[in-house]
Amino acid sequence: MQAMFGYSAAALAALWLLVHFIIGGREVARPLRMNTELPDIVRVTMWMCWHMVTACIALLALLPILALQTDLPGLMIAALLLAIAFSLAGIAAQFFLRVKLSLLPQGWLFVPVALLCALAL
């Protein structure tokens, strides 16, 4: 495995984790939590989904490092597949919902992470 690409993938995923946590927390999670107009089941489920995404992005940042430290390429493949899934889901959502890139850029942010994981392999 190519360490430079793997560590770069991990660093970029960690950056997106910070963006998700800081900006997403302020613009998505907090308003969801405070919204009293939504039914409770919708509000708390969506809030929980935000936290589950947080955990998945953290895992994506950790997997390439673990792959390199343990010399287990399967962990890099797992990171690659997770980055591809995030990319495809986000890009598809943008097109199916017919929203601008500025409103829903998340899928595109993981394309370079996927490329870096692939180059690391």
Side-chain angles (χ1 to χ4, degrees), residues 33-118:
R33 187 82 169 116
M34 300 301 189
N35 188 329
T36 57
E37 294 177 17
L38 290 172
D40 282 347
I41 188 68
V42 173
R43 184 175 55 84
V44 298
T45 300
M46 293 305 297
W47 186 74
M48 187 61 215
C49 286
W50 184 85
H51 285 288
M52 293 163 81
V53 169
T54 304
C56 287
I57 299 172
L59 184 61
L60 177 56
L62 183 61
L63 282 171
I65 295 169
L66 291 175
L68 293 166
Q69 296 297 315
T70 61
D71 198 31
L72 294 172
L75 296 175
M76 191 68 74
I77 292 169
L80 172 62
L81 293 174
L82 190 55
I84 289 171
F86 280 166
S87 297
L88 292 176
I91 293 167
Q94 180 191 349
F95 287 111
F96 285 122
L97 297 172
R98 294 187 175 119
V99 296
K100 294 180 182 180
L101 177 62
S102 60
L103 183 62
L104 197 63
Q106 292 87 333
W108 293 100
L109 299 178
F110 291 97
V111 170
V113 177
L115 290 173
L116 288 166
C117 286

